[in-house]
Amino acid sequence: MKVAVVRETAQGEQRVALVPEGVAKLRGAGLDILVERGAGDGAWLPDAAYAEAGATIVEQAELYQTADVVLTVTKPAGETISLLGPGQTVIGMLAPLTDPELATALAARNVTAVSLDGLPRTLSRAQPMDALTSQANVAGYKAAIVAAEAFGRFFPMLITAAGTARPAKVLVLGAGVAGLQAIGTARRLGAVVSGYDVRPASKQEVESLGATFIELKSAVAAAGEGGYARELTADERQGQQEELEQHIARHDVVITTAQVPGRRPPLLVTDDAVKAMSAGAVIVDMAASTLGGNVAGAKPGEIVTTGNGVTIVGAGNLAASVPTAASNAYSRNISALLLHMTKDAALAIDTTDEIQAGVVITHLGRVVNPAVAALIQSQEGDTGVDGASD
Ligand code: NAD
């Protein structure tokens, strides 16, 4: 079986799906590895390192003509979808719940699509494949670094002959994987850190990192399914925003990471809360996307300075900006998943397996993932299109 690693084309994407260490591992399982020329350049992994690990370096046209399995980080761009054909498999973070059209297009081309973001994350045997976690870890670390860079003062307390600097006060809203890593990193940089989340279980995790957990008087407890949060009701949301405002105002730096699966990110920092912050304060919104974010006025991929001197960094894809660490981790995740799906050096699709049931999105010309199929059907219903996908 020929497994190919593409050169990512999305803007600002510097990661690569497989690093040379992964090439050696997959070759050990009897797979042939093709690497598109320059695929690892963004992560400082030269073609020579891949060749040394046993990969064959190829041009894009040859890759798509000969690969059985194509490994990507993000979803393939429009022009590369048309290069994929019947019998081929693409494995990556395809975000089918935000881009179901891609699943429809791949099914129509009879391409098997496997998406790491569909992994059942609470299964302990799936943990080595959990790319959402590995990339959120990288992004959470970088969020603290980005905040420190944008901040005009020190994070740690410094006592020097020129005076004493008090430590920065950092608040992290959303204490999941990324939030906890942001808390840990800001603490290591010497800041005084507080954390907040709607899942009651997060209190202990925040405190175990040496940060203070912020408890709101309204104390919304919103643990949802699978360890995630549920969406708040309008009343809960308003109460939360109003109470958070006073906490936000007394912090120098706010890092937001809150997400609810399949929903728009919740607005946690309102316009009023931004206005209540001091000049020089910094907000990093990790949820900033075209769907909106956690912070009023945040723009994805942009740095905005408000009239009252608050810097808002719209930081949607931070993992891509720590490309070597992110690629190393992702490479292990995708290799583990590929090997899980491989028998006798060939792909063995079996959607009765709990892991495959989550990650296999299209197969044999159909959208087979129930959540994605249901989403497509509901959209077809919305637009009045006949839902005859089967
Ligand atoms: P996520 O990216 O979906 O969300 C980030 C955080 O935002 C979550 O902690 C969520 O509770 C929080 N949030 C959502 N709405 C909020 C609001 N209105 N106000 C404040 N916070 C809000 O989540 P994630 O980081 O991917 O993971 C969430 C949970 O899943 C964590 O408990 C994590 O430990 C767990 N998890 C478990 C496993 C496993 O069991 N192997 C793997 C991955 C994640």
Side-chain angles (χ1 to χ4, degrees), residues 173 241 248 254 256 267-271 273-274 277 283 294-296:
L173 300 176
Q241 287 168 351
I248 291 164
V254 175
T256 68
L267 182 70
L268 303 181
V269 184
T270 60
D271 237 340
V274 175
M277 294 183 88
I283 307 176
N294 295 150
V295 181

Side-chain angles (χ1 to χ4, degrees), residues 94-346:
L94 309 179
L97 290 174
T98 50
D99 184 6
E101 293 81 12
L102 174 65
T104 309
L106 291 172
R109 302 187 70 78
N110 210 346
V111 173
T112 297
V114 176
S115 187
L116 281 109
D117 30 24
L119 196 79
R121 299 172 76 195
T122 46
L123 270 188
S124 57
R125 67 193 171 97
Q127 275 172 27
M129 310 165 199
D130 190 346
L132 285 178
T133 291
S134 75
Q135 302 305 292
N137 254 320
V138 175
Y141 157 82
K142 187 64 186 272
I145 306 292
V146 166
E149 192 185 0
F151 190 47
R153 295 195 284 108
F154 295 118
F155 264 31
M157 182 168 93
L158 284 187
I159 303 169
T160 73
T164 299
R166 69 165 174 84
K169 282 188 272 181
V170 174
L171 172 61
V172 177
L173 300 176
V177 178
L180 291 173
Q181 191 57 252
I183 288 173
T185 306
R187 286 264 306 145
R188 276 177 232 123
L189 287 172
V192 173
V193 185
S194 304
Y196 166 74
D197 200 295
V198 281
R199 286 179 303 104
S202 63
K203 175 177 161 55
Q204 203 193 353
E205 291 165 341
V206 167
E207 288 175 348
S208 73
L209 291 171
T212 306
F213 188 78
I214 289 192
E215 272 174 273
L216 302 187
K217 289 189 204 81
S218 53
V220 177
E225 282 173 21
Y228 292 109
R230 65 162 171 82
E231 193 171 31
L232 301 189
T233 64
D235 280 353
E236 286 174 334
R237 192 163 51 239
Q238 197 189 346
Q240 183 193 52
Q241 287 168 351
E242 285 171 8
E243 255 195 273
L244 276 179
E245 188 179 319
Q246 50 187 298
H247 292 287
I248 291 164
R250 61 181 177 79
H251 282 86
D252 304 306
V253 171
V254 175
I255 298 171
T256 68
T257 77
Q259 297 278 0
V260 177
R263 296 269 181 276
R264 281 163 175 264
L267 182 70
L268 303 181
V269 184
T270 60
D271 237 340
D272 285 347
V274 175
K275 286 195 182 111
M277 294 183 88
S278 306
V282 172
I283 307 176
V284 176
D285 184 0
M286 288 183 63
S289 76
T290 46
L291 295 175
N294 295 150
V295 181
K299 296 208 170 70
E302 285 184 39
I303 299 176
V304 178
T305 305
T306 65
N308 62 322
V310 175
T311 303
I312 306 177
V313 183
N317 187 12
L318 285 177
S321 68
V322 196
T324 315
S327 301
N328 281 335
Y330 186 78
S331 173
R332 283 182 209 127
N333 301 142
I334 203 167
S335 304
L337 178 63
L338 178 59
L339 291 176
H340 173 74
M341 300 179 69
T342 303
K343 269 206 185 80
D344 301 329

